[in-house]
Amino acid sequence: MGRPRTPLLDRERITTTALELVDEQGDFSVPQIARRLGTQTASVYHHVDGRDGIVELLRERVCDAIDGGTLDRDPWDAAMAAWARSYRAAFAAHPRAIPLLTTSPVRAPKVLLQYERAVGLLLDAGFALPDVMPVIIALENLVLGSALDMAAPEAMWELADETATPRLADALAAFGDGRADAAFELALAGYLAHCRKLLNTP
């Protein structure tokens, strides 16, 4: 028998399987990937640089959904707002990957290049070099927190007795649907307002 036309195991299949496991259970193991792909654990290691390598493949896969072209927009604040919305959507599709990806260093070259573009955007806009990373990290905190919020139930407060918390009951009734989106846009507007003030402070 000759070799199959399509390889039985490659980095794409490993990444897809790992992401399926993360979406299902919040984590993965290399033996789990091997079992799901019907191969040996050693065969998986032949294609990737251990568990850390798979984590970076997951980071690349999730971040591929972020539209890096948003960073080419003008002015800078419109670019950052568009990047934030795209970034949020990409991670909202895989919220259980967030704890995994935020607790390991970013090494994936494609992802680092997107940060490079964000840094360049802010420097070209006139931000002081010491302010650049806090501005980017603050945006990530906002985006990733909101992506997790999107995975939460729409009704996060269950009031067994509305008479015990009448003002909370009224506030919830007045709010309506779209809690996560409204909260994100409010926080994003406040973030951008602060960044504009920071940029214009001598």
Side-chain angles (χ1 to χ4, degrees), residues 125-138:
F127 281 87
L129 185 57
D131 292 333
V132 168
M133 290 313 298
V135 166
I136 291 174
I137 294 167

mmCIF file with all atom_site columns, all heavy atoms in Angstrom, residues 125-138:
data_model
loop_
_atom_site.group_PDB
_atom_site.id
_atom_site.type_symbol
_atom_site.label_atom_id
_atom_site.label_alt_id
_atom_site.label_comp_id
_atom_site.label_asym_id
_atom_site.label_entity_id
_atom_site.label_seq_id
_atom_site.pdbx_PDB_ins_code
_atom_site.Cartn_x
_atom_site.Cartn_y
_atom_site.Cartn_z
_atom_site.occupancy
_atom_site.B_iso_or_equiv
_atom_site.pdbx_formal_charge
_atom_site.auth_seq_id
_atom_site.auth_comp_id
_atom_site.auth_asym_id
_atom_site.auth_atom_id
_atom_site.pdbx_PDB_model_num
ATOM 1  N N   . ALA A 1 125 ? 0.716  57.930 16.090 1.00 0.00 ? 125 ALA A N   1
ATOM 2  C CA  . ALA A 1 125 ? -0.316 58.873 16.535 1.00 0.00 ? 125 ALA A CA  1
ATOM 3  C C   . ALA A 1 125 ? 0.234  59.889 17.516 1.00 0.00 ? 125 ALA A C   1
ATOM 4  O O   . ALA A 1 125 ? -0.403 60.916 17.769 1.00 0.00 ? 125 ALA A O   1
ATOM 5  C CB  . ALA A 1 125 ? -1.470 58.109 17.176 1.00 0.00 ? 125 ALA A CB  1
ATOM 6  N N   . GLY A 1 126 ? 1.424  59.604 18.091 1.00 0.00 ? 126 GLY A N   1
ATOM 7  C CA  . GLY A 1 126 ? 2.043  60.551 19.008 1.00 0.00 ? 126 GLY A CA  1
ATOM 8  C C   . GLY A 1 126 ? 2.085  60.114 20.454 1.00 0.00 ? 126 GLY A C   1
ATOM 9  O O   . GLY A 1 126 ? 2.499  60.891 21.323 1.00 0.00 ? 126 GLY A O   1
ATOM 10 N N   . PHE A 1 127 ? 1.674  58.879 20.758 1.00 0.00 ? 127 PHE A N   1
ATOM 11 C CA  . PHE A 1 127 ? 1.750  58.407 22.135 1.00 0.00 ? 127 PHE A CA  1
ATOM 12 C C   . PHE A 1 127 ? 3.211  58.289 22.564 1.00 0.00 ? 127 PHE A C   1
ATOM 13 O O   . PHE A 1 127 ? 4.080  57.899 21.776 1.00 0.00 ? 127 PHE A O   1
ATOM 14 C CB  . PHE A 1 127 ? 1.073  57.042 22.274 1.00 0.00 ? 127 PHE A CB  1
ATOM 15 C CG  . PHE A 1 127 ? -0.424 57.115 22.353 1.00 0.00 ? 127 PHE A CG  1
ATOM 16 C CD1 . PHE A 1 127 ? -1.187 57.121 21.183 1.00 0.00 ? 127 PHE A CD1 1
ATOM 17 C CD2 . PHE A 1 127 ? -1.073 57.184 23.578 1.00 0.00 ? 127 PHE A CD2 1
ATOM 18 C CE1 . PHE A 1 127 ? -2.567 57.188 21.243 1.00 0.00 ? 127 PHE A CE1 1
ATOM 19 C CE2 . PHE A 1 127 ? -2.455 57.250 23.642 1.00 0.00 ? 127 PHE A CE2 1
ATOM 20 C CZ  . PHE A 1 127 ? -3.212 57.258 22.469 1.00 0.00 ? 127 PHE A CZ  1
ATOM 21 N N   . ALA A 1 128 ? 3.470  58.623 23.825 1.00 0.00 ? 128 ALA A N   1
ATOM 22 C CA  . ALA A 1 128 ? 4.809  58.455 24.385 1.00 0.00 ? 128 ALA A CA  1
ATOM 23 C C   . ALA A 1 128 ? 5.107  56.957 24.500 1.00 0.00 ? 128 ALA A C   1
ATOM 24 O O   . ALA A 1 128 ? 4.215  56.161 24.811 1.00 0.00 ? 128 ALA A O   1
ATOM 25 C CB  . ALA A 1 128 ? 4.900  59.118 25.757 1.00 0.00 ? 128 ALA A CB  1
ATOM 26 N N   . LEU A 1 129 ? 6.358  56.593 24.268 1.00 0.00 ? 129 LEU A N   1
ATOM 27 C CA  . LEU A 1 129 ? 6.730  55.176 24.270 1.00 0.00 ? 129 LEU A CA  1
ATOM 28 C C   . LEU A 1 129 ? 6.337  54.461 25.572 1.00 0.00 ? 129 LEU A C   1
ATOM 29 O O   . LEU A 1 129 ? 5.826  53.334 25.519 1.00 0.00 ? 129 LEU A O   1
ATOM 30 C CB  . LEU A 1 129 ? 8.232  55.045 24.010 1.00 0.00 ? 129 LEU A CB  1
ATOM 31 C CG  . LEU A 1 129 ? 8.775  53.628 23.849 1.00 0.00 ? 129 LEU A CG  1
ATOM 32 C CD1 . LEU A 1 129 ? 8.068  52.890 22.719 1.00 0.00 ? 129 LEU A CD1 1
ATOM 33 C CD2 . LEU A 1 129 ? 10.288 53.660 23.602 1.00 0.00 ? 129 LEU A CD2 1
ATOM 34 N N   . PRO A 1 130 ? 6.530  55.082 26.761 1.00 0.00 ? 130 PRO A N   1
ATOM 35 C CA  . PRO A 1 130 ? 6.143  54.370 27.994 1.00 0.00 ? 130 PRO A CA  1
ATOM 36 C C   . PRO A 1 130 ? 4.643  54.131 28.126 1.00 0.00 ? 130 PRO A C   1
ATOM 37 O O   . PRO A 1 130 ? 4.216  53.287 28.924 1.00 0.00 ? 130 PRO A O   1
ATOM 38 C CB  . PRO A 1 130 ? 6.647  55.292 29.121 1.00 0.00 ? 130 PRO A CB  1
ATOM 39 C CG  . PRO A 1 130 ? 7.697  56.135 28.486 1.00 0.00 ? 130 PRO A CG  1
ATOM 40 C CD  . PRO A 1 130 ? 7.240  56.335 27.075 1.00 0.00 ? 130 PRO A CD  1
ATOM 41 N N   . ASP A 1 131 ? 3.842  54.885 27.358 1.00 0.00 ? 131 ASP A N   1
ATOM 42 C CA  . ASP A 1 131 ? 2.382  54.731 27.454 1.00 0.00 ? 131 ASP A CA  1
ATOM 43 C C   . ASP A 1 131 ? 1.830  53.657 26.521 1.00 0.00 ? 131 ASP A C   1
ATOM 44 O O   . ASP A 1 131 ? 0.677  53.231 26.685 1.00 0.00 ? 131 ASP A O   1
ATOM 45 C CB  . ASP A 1 131 ? 1.690  56.059 27.114 1.00 0.00 ? 131 ASP A CB  1
ATOM 46 C CG  . ASP A 1 131 ? 1.938  57.135 28.160 1.00 0.00 ? 131 ASP A CG  1
ATOM 47 O OD1 . ASP A 1 131 ? 2.167  56.770 29.329 1.00 0.00 ? 131 ASP A OD1 1
ATOM 48 O OD2 . ASP A 1 131 ? 1.902  58.321 27.799 1.00 0.00 ? 131 ASP A OD2 1
ATOM 49 N N   . VAL A 1 132 ? 2.624  53.224 25.551 1.00 0.00 ? 132 VAL A N   1
ATOM 50 C CA  . VAL A 1 132 ? 2.095  52.369 24.485 1.00 0.00 ? 132 VAL A CA  1
ATOM 51 C C   . VAL A 1 132 ? 1.607  51.024 25.012 1.00 0.00 ? 132 VAL A C   1
ATOM 52 O O   . VAL A 1 132 ? 0.477  50.610 24.736 1.00 0.00 ? 132 VAL A O   1
ATOM 53 C CB  . VAL A 1 132 ? 3.147  52.178 23.377 1.00 0.00 ? 132 VAL A CB  1
ATOM 54 C CG1 . VAL A 1 132 ? 2.734  51.058 22.423 1.00 0.00 ? 132 VAL A CG1 1
ATOM 55 C CG2 . VAL A 1 132 ? 3.333  53.483 22.609 1.00 0.00 ? 132 VAL A CG2 1
ATOM 56 N N   . MET A 1 133 ? 2.434  50.310 25.758 1.00 0.00 ? 133 MET A N   1
ATOM 57 C CA  . MET A 1 133 ? 2.009  48.979 26.215 1.00 0.00 ? 133 MET A CA  1
ATOM 58 C C   . MET A 1 133 ? 0.864  49.048 27.223 1.00 0.00 ? 133 MET A C   1
ATOM 59 O O   . MET A 1 133 ? -0.064 48.218 27.149 1.00 0.00 ? 133 MET A O   1
ATOM 60 C CB  . MET A 1 133 ? 3.196  48.191 26.777 1.00 0.00 ? 133 MET A CB  1
ATOM 61 C CG  . MET A 1 133 ? 4.201  47.751 25.715 1.00 0.00 ? 133 MET A CG  1
ATOM 62 S SD  . MET A 1 133 ? 3.468  46.991 24.221 1.00 0.00 ? 133 MET A SD  1
ATOM 63 C CE  . MET A 1 133 ? 2.657  45.538 24.907 1.00 0.00 ? 133 MET A CE  1
ATOM 64 N N   . PRO A 1 134 ? 0.847  49.998 28.163 1.00 0.00 ? 134 PRO A N   1
ATOM 65 C CA  . PRO A 1 134 ? -0.343 50.101 29.009 1.00 0.00 ? 134 PRO A CA  1
ATOM 66 C C   . PRO A 1 134 ? -1.627 50.333 28.219 1.00 0.00 ? 134 PRO A C   1
ATOM 67 O O   . PRO A 1 134 ? -2.683 49.794 28.572 1.00 0.00 ? 134 PRO A O   1
ATOM 68 C CB  . PRO A 1 134 ? -0.026 51.294 29.921 1.00 0.00 ? 134 PRO A CB  1
ATOM 69 C CG  . PRO A 1 134 ? 1.467  51.281 30.022 1.00 0.00 ? 134 PRO A CG  1
ATOM 70 C CD  . PRO A 1 134 ? 1.939  50.868 28.658 1.00 0.00 ? 134 PRO A CD  1
ATOM 71 N N   . VAL A 1 135 ? -1.557 51.121 27.138 1.00 0.00 ? 135 VAL A N   1
ATOM 72 C CA  . VAL A 1 135 ? -2.735 51.364 26.308 1.00 0.00 ? 135 VAL A CA  1
ATOM 73 C C   . VAL A 1 135 ? -3.198 50.060 25.646 1.00 0.00 ? 135 VAL A C   1
ATOM 74 O O   . VAL A 1 135 ? -4.391 49.746 25.623 1.00 0.00 ? 135 VAL A O   1
ATOM 75 C CB  . VAL A 1 135 ? -2.430 52.451 25.243 1.00 0.00 ? 135 VAL A CB  1
ATOM 76 C CG1 . VAL A 1 135 ? -3.508 52.467 24.155 1.00 0.00 ? 135 VAL A CG1 1
ATOM 77 C CG2 . VAL A 1 135 ? -2.327 53.814 25.899 1.00 0.00 ? 135 VAL A CG2 1
ATOM 78 N N   . ILE A 1 136 ? -2.258 49.274 25.140 1.00 0.00 ? 136 ILE A N   1
ATOM 79 C CA  . ILE A 1 136 ? -2.606 48.008 24.482 1.00 0.00 ? 136 ILE A CA  1
ATOM 80 C C   . ILE A 1 136 ? -3.120 46.986 25.498 1.00 0.00 ? 136 ILE A C   1
ATOM 81 O O   . ILE A 1 136 ? -4.132 46.310 25.263 1.00 0.00 ? 136 ILE A O   1
ATOM 82 C CB  . ILE A 1 136 ? -1.389 47.457 23.714 1.00 0.00 ? 136 ILE A CB  1
ATOM 83 C CG1 . ILE A 1 136 ? -1.090 48.349 22.510 1.00 0.00 ? 136 ILE A CG1 1
ATOM 84 C CG2 . ILE A 1 136 ? -1.639 46.016 23.260 1.00 0.00 ? 136 ILE A CG2 1
ATOM 85 C CD1 . ILE A 1 136 ? 0.181  47.984 21.765 1.00 0.00 ? 136 ILE A CD1 1
ATOM 86 N N   . ILE A 1 137 ? -2.443 46.882 26.635 1.00 0.00 ? 137 ILE A N   1
ATOM 87 C CA  . ILE A 1 137 ? -2.854 45.895 27.643 1.00 0.00 ? 137 ILE A CA  1
ATOM 88 C C   . ILE A 1 137 ? -4.222 46.246 28.221 1.00 0.00 ? 137 ILE A C   1
ATOM 89 O O   . ILE A 1 137 ? -5.053 45.364 28.456 1.00 0.00 ? 137 ILE A O   1
ATOM 90 C CB  . ILE A 1 137 ? -1.790 45.792 28.747 1.00 0.00 ? 137 ILE A CB  1
ATOM 91 C CG1 . ILE A 1 137 ? -0.492 45.200 28.168 1.00 0.00 ? 137 ILE A CG1 1
ATOM 92 C CG2 . ILE A 1 137 ? -2.281 44.924 29.907 1.00 0.00 ? 137 ILE A CG2 1
ATOM 93 C CD1 . ILE A 1 137 ? 0.711  45.336 29.079 1.00 0.00 ? 137 ILE A CD1 1
ATOM 94 N N   . ALA A 1 138 ? -4.476 47.544 28.422 1.00 0.00 ? 138 ALA A N   1
ATOM 95 C CA  . ALA A 1 138 ? -5.791 47.954 28.924 1.00 0.00 ? 138 ALA A CA  1
ATOM 96 C C   . ALA A 1 138 ? -6.887 47.577 27.930 1.00 0.00 ? 138 ALA A C   1
ATOM 97 O O   . ALA A 1 138 ? -7.977 47.131 28.329 1.00 0.00 ? 138 ALA A O   1
ATOM 98 C CB  . ALA A 1 138 ? -5.800 49.461 29.187 1.00 0.00 ? 138 ALA A CB  1
#
